[in-house]
């Protein structure tokens, strides 16, 4: 996703552009399930771990360019002035894409057995608390961005500095992991069960609360406040992976957060001078992220049945956005809405 604010200095981040394209393909795979027939538990654990890298990386890429700019401003007022237009842009993106997905949401309401009132309540909850409605699953990223940036804006407004805000983001991440655990855990603890029911009803999981940490991690890296050597990156990866096989409730999930950080830091340092089409890949990753679920829905409703998953769905949902990208690039000056949606 290209929800980034890039400097006017002509520095290209080809490693980020290429990685985001690959991760966008993984988003498509995560939603279309090309490996649905594989039941090997080791493969599934590794595959799910790979999928969990995707959105944190997108958050960090956005935070790197955004907060690397915001927190170089000399005072609070300048920082808020730099952050406010970005927040408005993300809100408008979320509104636009929610409207674009609305026909699919209405189709779902028309084909289920719920009343109009129930469907309306589900739409309100999905839009403001889940970050998704039927088949608009990728939009939770934008809602998490909105809430995270709005909270950071508030913290800057009350005169907190980036180090304090980053510390708060760690606490918020811990809360998010506790929320996830309460939803997913098989436990007899009645308090955990009660928390899980509340979280699942209100937020589905704790994912909306993860964005703040990764956004600010990207910003801390951009500002040079976090510098990692190759041995430390290797150690972070080893620790993160080890705790996925030796599970400790909540703690293992927190340790996994080290892995996307290491991945982002590594790809940030790639120069890749021989790569010439990174700008296309950057735009393509955004087009793919936002449109693949629409393509997926149209494919299965016309050629298959709902629900349906498989390799053919993955290939169609990935290929069509790639083919659409040059058309969008050619027409975005004539149709500014395209630049706003995908630029």
């Amino acid at each position: 996703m290209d929800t980034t604010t890039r400097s006017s200095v002509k520095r290209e981040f080809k490693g980020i552009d290429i990685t985001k394209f690959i991760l966008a393909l993984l988003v498509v795979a995560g939603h279309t399930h090309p490996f649905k027939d594989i039941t090997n538990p080791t493969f599934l654990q590794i595959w799910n771990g790979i999928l969990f890298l995707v959105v944190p990386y997108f958050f960090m890429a956005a935070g790197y360019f955004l907060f690397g700019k915001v927190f170089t401003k000399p005072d609070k007022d300048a920082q808020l002035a730099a952050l406010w237009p970005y927040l408005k842009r993300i809100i408008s993106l979320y509104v636009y894409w929610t409207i674009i997905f609305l026909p699919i949401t209405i189709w779902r309401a028309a084909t289920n057995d719920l009343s109009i009132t129930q469907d309306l309540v589900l739409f309100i909850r999905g839009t403001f608390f889940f970050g998704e409605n039927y088949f608009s699953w990728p939009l939770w990223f934008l809602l998490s961005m909105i809430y995270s940036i709005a909270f950071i804006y508030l913290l800057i407004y009350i005169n907190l500095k980036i180090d304090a805000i980053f510390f708060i983001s760690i606490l918020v991440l811990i809360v998010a992991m506790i929320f996830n655990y309460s939803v997913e855990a098989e436990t007899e603890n009645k308090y955990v069960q009660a928390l899980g029911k509340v979280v699942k009803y209100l937020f589905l999981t704790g994912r909306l609360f993860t964005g703040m940490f990764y956004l600010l991690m990207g910003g801390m890296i951009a500002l040079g406040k976090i510098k990692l050597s190759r041995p430390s990156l290797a150690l972070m990866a080893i620790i993160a992976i080890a705790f996925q096989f030796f599970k400790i409730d909540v703690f293992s999930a927190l340790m996994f957060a080290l892995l996307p950080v290491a991945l982002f830091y590594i790809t940030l340092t790639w120069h890749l001078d021989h790569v010439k089409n990174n700008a296309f890949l950057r735009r393509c990753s955004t087009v793919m992220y936002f449109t693949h679920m629409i393509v997926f829905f149209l494919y299965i409703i016309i050629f298959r049945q709902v629900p349906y998953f498989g390799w053919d769905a993955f290939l169609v949902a990935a290929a069509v956005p790639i083919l659409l990208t040059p058309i969008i690039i050619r027409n975005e000056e004539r149709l500014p809405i395209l630049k706003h949606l995908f630029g």
Side-chain angles (χ1 to χ4, degrees):
M1 292 201 41
D2 195 17
T3 52
T4 55
T5 302
R6 291 175 180 259
S7 170
S8 58
V9 177
K10 288 240 177 179
R11 180 187 168 189
E12 291 193 285
F13 296 86
K14 295 182 178 181
I16 292 178
D17 292 335
I18 293 171
T19 305
K20 285 171 66 177
F21 175 76
I22 295 170
L23 295 182
L25 289 171
L26 290 177
V27 171
V28 180
H31 291 153
T32 56
H33 299 293
F35 302 118
K36 64 183 178 66
D37 295 325
I38 298 178
T39 57
N40 181 279
T42 302
F43 172 85
L44 293 176
Q45 187 171 8
I46 294 172
W47 175 242
N48 289 329
I50 292 172
L51 294 179
F52 285 141
L53 293 172
V54 175
V55 178
Y57 189 98
F58 288 154
F59 281 129
M60 281 186 284
Y64 181 87
F65 295 108
L66 173 62
F67 292 113
K69 174 184 175 183
V70 168
F71 285 109
T72 56
K73 301 298 180 182
D75 53 46
K76 178 183 79 173
D77 291 338
Q79 291 171 2
L80 294 176
L83 193 55
W84 180 245
Y86 189 86
L87 177 58
K88 289 196 297 183
R89 177 172 179 262
I90 298 300
I91 292 172
S92 68
L93 269 178
Y94 187 62
V95 171
Y96 278 131
W97 280 108
T98 299
I99 293 171
I100 290 170
F101 275 95
L102 198 54
I104 298 177
T105 306
I106 293 172
W107 179 90
R108 177 60 174 172
T111 56
N112 64 26
D113 296 326
L114 302 178
S115 67
I116 294 176
T117 302
Q118 289 173 314
D119 282 321
L120 183 59
V121 169
L122 290 177
F123 176 73
I124 292 171
R125 183 179 65 173
T127 301
F128 293 99
F129 297 97
F130 284 12
E132 67 175 56
N133 288 292
Y134 190 65
F135 265 71
S136 66
W137 306 328
L139 299 191
W140 79 266
F141 171 85
L142 290 178
L143 188 61
S144 181
M145 290 270 287
I146 291 168
Y147 289 149
S148 299
I149 295 172
F151 187 41
I152 293 168
Y153 186 97
L154 175 63
L155 295 176
I156 295 173
Y157 183 78
I158 61 174
N159 295 311
L160 291 188
K161 304 302 181 184
I162 185 172
D163 292 343
I165 297 173
F166 181 65
F167 177 75
I168 291 172
S169 78
I170 296 173
L171 298 180
V172 174
L173 181 68
I174 293 172
V175 170
M177 297 308 168
I178 293 172
F179 282 180
N180 283 340
Y181 171 73
S182 71
V183 170
E184 299 167 0
E186 297 179 1
T187 177
E188 298 299 321
N189 188 304
K190 62 181 181 180
Y191 299 108
V192 175
Q193 290 178 344
L195 177 62
K197 289 178 181 178
V198 172
V199 170
K200 189 171 184 178
Y201 181 80
L202 287 178
F203 305 112
L204 193 62
T205 67
R207 63 185 183 179
L208 284 181
F209 303 94
T210 61
M212 182 182 179
F213 169 78
Y214 291 112
L215 282 166
L216 286 166
M217 176 61 74
M220 296 288 279
I221 292 172
L223 294 168
K225 289 180 171 289
I226 292 179
K227 296 181 180 180
L228 301 170
S229 63
R230 289 184 179 179
S232 62
L233 290 169
L235 181 61
M236 288 168 62
I238 291 170
I239 292 173
I241 294 171
F243 276 103
Q244 303 319 299
F245 290 93
F246 301 97
K247 292 284 188 180
I248 300 176
D249 294 340
V250 181
F251 186 77
S252 289
L254 284 170
M255 290 301 98
F256 184 81
L258 298 173
L259 197 55
V261 173
L263 174 64
F264 179 76
Y265 202 93
I266 291 169
T267 59
L268 183 64
T269 62
W270 289 348
H271 295 293
L272 305 174
D273 294 333
H274 60 285
V275 175
K276 304 301 180 185
N277 62 341
N278 60 295
F280 173 81
L281 295 178
R282 183 193 319 144
R283 186 63 57 84
C284 192
S285 65
T286 304
V287 174
M288 191 183 304
Y289 186 90
F290 282 120
T291 65
H292 74 275
M293 288 303 296
I294 298 173
V295 175
F296 178 32
F297 176 79
L298 292 175
Y299 174 72
I300 62 175
I301 201 171
I302 295 171
F303 298 104
R304 296 292 185 173
Q305 60 183 0
V306 181
Y308 174 82
F309 303 100
W311 269 103
D312 54 330
F314 166 72
L315 293 173
V316 171
V320 172
I322 293 173
L323 295 174
L324 284 175
T325 300
I327 300 173
I328 290 169
I329 293 173
R330 283 197 301 268
N331 290 278
E332 63 184 8
E333 296 300 329
R334 186 170 61 88
L335 300 171
I337 186 64
L338 294 177
K339 196 165 189 177
H340 183 75
L341 291 173
F342 301 108

